[in-house]
Each structure stands twice: as C-alpha cells, then as structure tokens.
Amino acid sequence: MITALVVLSLIVCMVLALVLFGQQDALLAAHHRIRAATPWLALFQLAAIAALWLAWPWLVDRLRTRWPEDARAALLAARHRICIGLLLVELVVVLGLPFNLL
C-alpha cells in the first residue's frame, strides 16, 4: 500500500514537472508510445491469463499439504469463473472494448 502511494506520488510529481516546465511534447510522445504498445501489452496480459488457466490445476495441487481437500476442490471449481472474470476485466477496463466500438 505504501509502495503504491509512493509510486503514484512520483508519477504525479513527474507529470506536474513536465507540464509546469513546458514539456507537453514529451507527454504527447509518451502517450503515442503507450498507445502504440497497447496491443502488445494486451496480448501479453491475455497470454498471462491463459497461462494461469492452464497452470491452475498444477498450482492447486501444490497446496496439498497446506490446505484441506474441500478448499482445494473449491479452488479447482472456481478456475473458470476466476479466469473469465480476469478476461472480462482485461477486455472492459484495459481495452475498453464496448466503448471503443463507437
């Protein structure tokens, strides 16, 4: 939590410094680079979700000594719901899918 606040405050300070010192072109260049990298980053995130979906049974099986059998069975049953939830968050929040079609 503290690390996230520190990173966020650094980002805010950097943006304010760029705006106050007249470096809007640098912000525009960064925006264009991020926009150009978005498809590759989204593809990487979708691949990570697919890897999680494929590795889920192996990961749950590794919890054999720490978690009871019924908890592991619930985790195996929740595999598809969790991965579909992550996929929906990726499509709606990151890619803005229903809103980018307009």
Side-chain angles (χ1 to χ4, degrees), residues 26-43 93-97 99-102:
L27 288 176
L28 190 60
H31 173 72
H32 288 303
R33 285 185 181 157
I34 291 172
R35 195 157 180 98
T38 298
W40 295 104
L41 294 173
L43 184 65
V93 174
V94 176
L95 296 177
L97 190 61
F99 305 109
N100 281 341
L101 296 176
L102 299 175

Side-chain angles (χ1 to χ4, degrees), residues 3-72:
T3 306
L5 290 174
V6 169
V7 169
L8 182 64
S9 64
L10 285 174
I11 291 171
V12 168
C13 289
M14 288 173 53
V15 169
L16 284 175
L18 287 173
V19 169
L20 290 176
F21 295 120
Q23 297 292 329
Q24 290 90 359
D25 293 336
L27 288 176
L28 190 60
H31 173 72
H32 288 303
R33 285 185 181 157
I34 291 172
R35 195 157 180 98
T38 298
W40 295 104
L41 294 173
L43 184 65
F44 175 74
Q45 290 171 337
L46 291 173
I49 292 171
L52 175 68
W53 182 74
L54 290 172
W56 190 275
W58 179 79
L59 292 170
V60 171
D61 191 44
R62 303 264 310 170
L63 299 172
R64 182 177 302 151
T65 59
R66 297 185 184 148
W67 288 29
E69 183 65 34
D70 57 341
R72 287 189 295 119

Side-chain angles (χ1 to χ4, degrees), residues 74-95:
L75 275 175
L76 280 174
R79 168 187 179 192
H80 301 299
R81 288 180 297 212
I82 290 173
C83 289
I84 288 172
L86 289 172
L87 182 63
L88 287 175
V89 167
E90 173 72 23
L91 292 176
V92 173
V93 174
V94 176
L95 296 177

